[in-house]
Amino acid sequence: YGIVAFVTYYRSTREEYERAAQLRLQTEHLKAELADARLAALERQIQPHFLFNTLNTISSVMYDDLDTADRMISNLSALLRMSLERAEDPKIPLREELAITELYLDIMSARFTDRLEVDFDVDAAARPCLVPTLVLQPLVENAIKHNPPRADRPARVRVSAHMAADGDLVVAVE
């Protein structure tokens, strides 16, 4: 009986150890996938073409309008810093997401001068609500990309947020 009990205990302990090792391996795999997803989200957030266009714009205006170039560098730095700091947070308050989006739009406004019109209509009650991190800027970027400023008309972007009657947060980028 003792040998049978020992063998049974040994097998169950070994199986538990193997399951624990497998769970640790799955956990590490999921952590790696999460890190990759965060990096991919950050790469989508700050597209290389946006960065290159911003740097080119800064380069072109720095000889004519040093204040605008300085503001663009400061905003780009703040945008990168905020994006990196918030990349690991799955959700942030809408007010912080709006701050990131406003930095982006200020850079784009300097780039397109008077050919970009921006309107924010955000209820105060909506500002503390949690939203997915880095959700607005790519939508605003797409709105500008698919409605680019032209010589005959500016691009118009409107960001709105309000609380619906059922208590849901409604955010729109037009």
Side-chain angles (χ1 to χ4, degrees):
Y1 174 75
I3 293 174
V4 171
F6 175 76
V7 170
T8 304
Y9 174 77
Y10 176 76
R11 283 185 182 166
S12 68
T13 303
R14 192 175 95 217
E15 288 173 2
E16 283 185 40
Y17 179 78
E18 289 174 357
R19 273 184 270 156
Q22 188 175 12
L23 284 174
R24 282 193 297 274
L25 184 62
Q26 287 175 341
T27 300
E28 291 304 316
H29 182 69
L30 288 174
K31 284 181 182 178
E33 286 182 0
L34 179 60
D36 289 345
R38 287 178 176 161
L39 181 59
L42 183 59
E43 288 172 350
R44 283 191 306 274
Q45 166 65 20
I46 302 169
Q47 296 290 335
H49 72 271
F50 161 69
L51 186 58
F52 295 141
N53 287 343
T54 301
L55 292 173
N56 285 335
T57 303
I58 291 169
S59 176
S60 68
V61 299
M62 67 186 233
Y63 297 108
D64 300 326
D65 189 352
L66 193 54
D67 290 338
T68 299
D70 185 51
R71 189 179 82 240
M72 288 181 75
I73 290 170
S74 295
N75 287 343
L76 180 60
S77 173
L79 176 65
L80 291 171
R81 186 180 317 103
M82 289 175 79
S83 297
L84 290 171
E85 287 172 354
R86 289 304 191 181
E88 293 186 23
D89 297 335
K91 293 182 180 179
I92 61 173
L94 178 61
R95 69 178 163 273
E96 292 179 25
E97 186 68 17
L98 288 168
I100 292 170
T101 304
E102 287 172 354
L103 285 170
Y104 169 77
L105 283 168
D106 194 49
I107 292 169
M108 296 307 285
S109 292
R111 182 171 165 218
F112 292 119
T113 58
D114 59 348
R115 295 179 300 144
L116 179 62
E117 295 176 4
V118 180
D119 179 39
F120 284 92
D121 180 21
V122 180
D123 291 344
R127 291 184 178 272
C129 294
L130 295 178
V131 296
T133 302
L134 305 176
V135 70
L136 280 180
Q137 187 272 332
L139 295 174
V140 168
E141 184 175 0
N142 280 338
I144 294 170
K145 180 179 178 183
H146 296 289
N147 180 32
R150 297 189 321 221
D152 62 330
R153 67 159 178 80
R156 291 183 179 90
V157 178
R158 183 171 189 264
V159 178
S160 62
H162 66 276
M163 300 304 294
D166 61 2
D168 287 343
L169 174 65
V170 178
V171 180
V173 176
E174 303 171 56

